[in-house]
Amino acid sequence: MRAEQFQIGEIDVAAVRSALAEVGASGSVALDGFAPTETIALLVHLQELSGAIAAVQARALVHLEATVKEECRRREETPQQALKIARSEASKALKQSKSCAGQSMASCRRLVHSMPGMLGALARGQVVAPSVHRVARTMGPATPEQRTLVDEILTAHLPHLEGCGPEEWSGEAERVLHGIDPRGAAARHRTAKKERSVTVRRSEHGMCTVTARLTGLDGARIRKGLSLAAEKARAHGDRRGHQQIMADLFADALIGRGEGIDPSTLEIGVIITDRSLLAPDHADSATIEGYGPVPYEHVREEMRNALTSAKDDPELAMTLRRLYTDMEDGQLVAVESTSREFPPALARFLRLAHQTCRGPYCDANIRQNDHIVPWSQGGATSLDNGNGACVGDNQKEESGESARVIRDEHGKRRTVEWTSRYGQKVRRRGINFDPLGTGSRILEQERRRDHEREQQRVQQREAQAKQAPDQTPEPGHERALDEVGAAFHRSFARIDPEVFADLELHPAVLLSRCDQRVLRSRRIDHVFLRRRSARRSGPPGRARP
């Protein structure tokens, strides 16, 4: 790549950028004449292009940081000063604040150095940039080795995470990290708990945005309390919107205006495994209803507080229910109903199993339970035909969308496929509560298939060798070269049989006459040629010798 000309090989990237800028600024006659299907295809290609650009940008940011640090080292400046200079330069190049540029640089560093699978998925357009960088930020407290393991599991889960938004990608990464390092999860939670904060920022047209960084359970209580109070007000005839009522109640509770909400009526669902309760060394992450995964220690601490304070506060109670997950994909399983309305137990179960809206790429809270196949078309009220949804995705038929359940060979529901009016298809599953276990099984299956393919190749080579005519080489020059080549092959095979399985015979025929005489006389075993590779091919991902 020549930076001054902005070229990559034979491709003039500057010319491509200028052409796209012209189309974006002034439009195009060809674009104006596109049919809906052609416009959709263009959008898909542009999305893939943006992913490739984001991956290149990540590598460029990491390279900028490395080169600035090297130059500062030659100037005998401190590493802290070098980092500030790199962030300042990235801030100007990306047109971001230094804080945002520093966060981008940190997440890009984790992707480039420790998470090649996620970076490759971004470059190929399999994952969007916000989801990838959200995963990288989640991996901030982890070690490079842990990030690599999480990256391997998430890469194996790519087909299962299709249609997920950034929130669910982050939750999946956090569950995997928790399973890899359960003890560290408690320490990470204690550290994050020290960063509790509240910020108030100006918004548009005289409004503001209030952000509070709290523990997961407190956040779930606030959200559910406001949501239930808003639904109650709507049921009594309040004409304000659901979100408007929640915002007003939030302000009333903080500044002492109005009656506020009654927290004693709240019921917060938490999913935690028996391993987390009884064997903390092998604990999994817990999941709070409507919030997502949290470290198991956070829930254990709240459970202990509930047990010790139950005598003083009889309205505070802890109830345990037994849930089961599917062994194959970690999703919760339940029973069906014969009514059109989802019964309270089944509706609650769907909220626990899905956590957020199951619409494509949507992370909104679940407001309604949707029949995948509409009731009017014979759809059953069951777990297999139920989806937690926001208001917009629950009205999929009005948007020209349809959905259907995708089952495996045993008839079990595995995912839901959404289809738009113009034929775009996206699949999205329920929450996987055991990503580490399912990811390990997927990787083991891939390793087993690779081993079987290798065994088939060996058997094919042996069969071809048996079918070939038996030619006994004549003594002399060719026979000597063959013996030398065989010895070369055997010696390297002892170093690493897997890497050198496809090693070619020694290219002694290309040697000088002197070297050939020395080889035939057995005074030396091998001659290594500079700039010559003896290996033909090998397993993908392994470096050449």
Side-chain angles (χ1 to χ4, degrees):
M1 180 188 295
R2 296 192 296 274
E4 65 277 4
Q5 298 180 6
F6 200 34
Q7 288 186 341
I8 302 177
E10 300 293 330
I11 302 175
D12 188 346
V13 181
V16 175
R17 180 197 61 191
S18 299
L20 291 175
E22 179 65 24
V23 173
S26 305
S28 167
V29 176
L31 178 60
D32 294 339
F34 277 6
T37 53
E38 295 172 322
T39 308
I40 291 170
L42 174 63
L43 290 172
V44 171
H45 288 308
L46 290 175
Q47 176 58 45
E48 294 173 349
L49 179 61
S50 67
I53 292 174
V56 175
Q57 187 181 76
R59 292 190 177 277
L61 276 174
V62 174
H63 180 70
L64 172 65
E65 183 182 32
T67 53
V68 169
K69 285 183 177 180
E70 177 62 25
E71 185 171 332
C72 290
R73 186 188 63 81
R74 290 196 297 267
R75 293 170 177 264
E76 297 183 352
E77 295 173 336
T78 64
Q80 292 79 5
Q81 187 175 0
L83 183 60
K84 291 181 179 179
I85 294 173
R87 287 181 176 178
S88 175
E89 296 297 334
S91 170
K92 307 303 185 296
L94 299 178
K95 296 179 173 59
Q96 295 177 345
S97 67
K98 291 185 178 69
S99 175
C100 292
Q103 293 176 2
S104 299
M105 189 174 291
S107 64
C108 291
R109 189 189 314 120
R110 296 168 198 139
L111 290 170
V112 172
H113 292 163
S114 306
M115 307 187 75
M118 293 301 298
L119 186 61
L122 173 63
R124 294 187 296 271
Q126 295 175 283
V127 190
V128 295
S131 298
V132 172
H133 286 287
R134 184 66 182 272
V135 169
R137 287 196 296 271
T138 302
M139 292 296 104
T143 64
E145 293 77 12
Q146 291 170 346
R147 292 173 193 151
T148 301
L149 289 174
V150 172
D151 178 68
E152 188 177 4
I153 297 295
L154 292 180
T155 304
H157 277 178
L158 277 175
H160 308 295
L161 292 170
E162 179 187 4
C164 295
E167 290 287 342
E168 191 163 336
W169 270 102
S170 173
E172 188 86 353
E174 190 170 346
R175 288 188 185 93
V176 175
L177 178 60
H178 195 296
I180 293 173
D181 182 28
R183 284 295 185 187
R188 289 189 292 270
H189 173 65
R190 288 192 293 270
T191 301
K193 199 172 180 180
K194 297 177 182 178
E195 299 175 357
R196 300 186 303 276
S197 62
V198 175
T199 58
V200 181
R201 294 187 177 91
R202 185 190 67 83
S203 187
E204 301 83 10
H205 310 297
M207 304 298 289
C208 74
T209 301
V210 181
T211 304
R213 184 178 175 87
L214 306 171
T215 62
L217 274 174
D218 286 344
R221 293 187 182 108
I222 293 172
R223 185 200 66 81
K224 189 161 188 178
L226 293 173
S227 181
L228 289 177
E231 291 176 2
K232 183 178 179 180
R234 293 274 295 177
H236 285 78
D238 196 320
R239 305 307 299 169
R240 291 175 295 172
H242 185 89
Q243 294 292 332
Q244 292 176 343
I245 298 174
M246 289 179 64
D248 292 343
L249 289 173
F250 178 77
D252 293 345
L254 289 178
I255 63 180
R257 181 179 59 196
E259 297 180 358
I261 59 176
D262 181 10
S264 64
T265 62
L266 302 181
E267 181 181 356
I268 305 298
V270 178
I271 300 175
I272 186 169
T273 64
D274 51 358
R275 291 190 297 271
S276 301
L277 294 175
L278 305 176
D281 289 339
H282 305 281
D284 305 295
S285 63
T287 301
I288 299 176
E289 177 188 2
Y291 172 81
V294 295
Y296 77 98
E297 185 60 30
H298 176 37
V299 175
R300 282 165 55 92
E301 179 182 353
E302 291 290 336
M303 292 175 70
R304 285 194 293 265
N305 293 338
L307 290 174
T308 55
S309 59
K311 296 180 180 179
D312 301 329
D313 188 359
E315 295 185 353
L316 179 63
M318 181 177 64
T319 304
L320 298 179
R321 297 183 180 92
R322 185 174 300 172
L323 301 174
Y324 298 92
T325 59
D326 190 285
M327 287 291 293
E328 293 296 327
D329 57 12
Q331 299 187 63
L332 293 181
V333 294
V335 296
E336 84 172 36
S337 170
T338 57
S339 64
R340 175 172 182 173
E341 294 291 331
F342 284 88
L346 183 55
R348 179 65 182 278
F349 191 91
L350 283 171
R351 281 177 164 80
L352 291 174
H354 294 166
Q355 294 296 315
T356 58
C357 174
R358 292 296 93 191
Y361 312 110
C362 183
D363 287 324
N365 294 320
I366 294 175
R367 291 285 306 281
Q368 299 168 355
N369 290 309
D370 178 38
H371 290 81
I372 298 172
V373 178
W375 173 269
S376 59
Q377 300 177 16
T381 303
S382 64
L383 177 66
D384 277 359
N385 195 47
N387 246 7
C390 63
V391 175
D393 285 315
N394 190 29
Q395 300 171 351
K396 59 183 183 296
E397 290 80 13
E398 298 181 10
S399 304
E401 294 177 297
S402 62
R404 68 186 183 99
V405 175
I406 303 298
R407 304 181 185 275
D408 60 13
E409 62 275 11
H410 304 294
K412 290 184 178 181
R413 168 179 167 174
R414 292 305 180 193
T415 185
V416 176
E417 183 178 79
W418 293 64
T419 305
S420 70
R421 173 176 295 178
Y422 293 100
Q424 296 190 86
K425 296 181 182 296
V426 179
R427 294 185 177 184
R428 190 167 187 186
R429 297 184 168 215
I431 297 292
N432 183 355
F433 291 95
D434 185 24
L436 187 60
T438 56
S440 300
R441 285 191 288 272
I442 292 172
L443 293 174
E444 180 60 30
Q445 291 172 1
E446 291 179 354
R447 282 190 284 266
R448 191 179 299 113
R449 284 194 295 266
D450 291 341
H451 178 71
E452 291 174 354
R453 284 193 291 265
E454 180 62 27
Q455 291 294 327
Q456 292 175 358
R457 285 194 291 266
V458 171
Q459 293 173 3
Q460 291 174 358
R461 286 196 294 265
E462 292 177 351
Q464 292 173 358
K466 291 179 180 179
Q467 294 174 1
D470 186 11
Q471 297 179 354
T472 304
E474 296 293 331
H477 176 75
E478 296 296 334
R479 182 176 181 180
L481 294 182
D482 288 345
E483 291 177 356
V484 171
F488 183 81
H489 189 285
R490 287 194 299 272
S491 299
F492 272 90
R494 292 193 186 99
I495 298 174
D496 192 332
E498 180 183 356
V499 174
F500 296 97
D502 297 322
L503 193 68
E504 291 180 344
L505 295 180
H506 193 287
V509 70
L510 302 177
L511 299 177
S512 65
R513 293 181 179 275
C514 178
D515 286 335
Q516 292 181 22
R517 285 196 300 272
V518 172
L519 284 170
R520 286 196 293 272
S521 64
R522 305 296 180 90
R523 281 181 288 169
I524 61 175
D525 294 324
H526 309 109
V527 173
F528 292 89
L529 301 179
R530 188 174 59 178
R531 299 193 186 94
R532 190 177 300 282
S533 175
R535 181 169 169 252
R536 182 176 69 242
S537 62
R542 300 292 295 266
R544 296 194 170 211

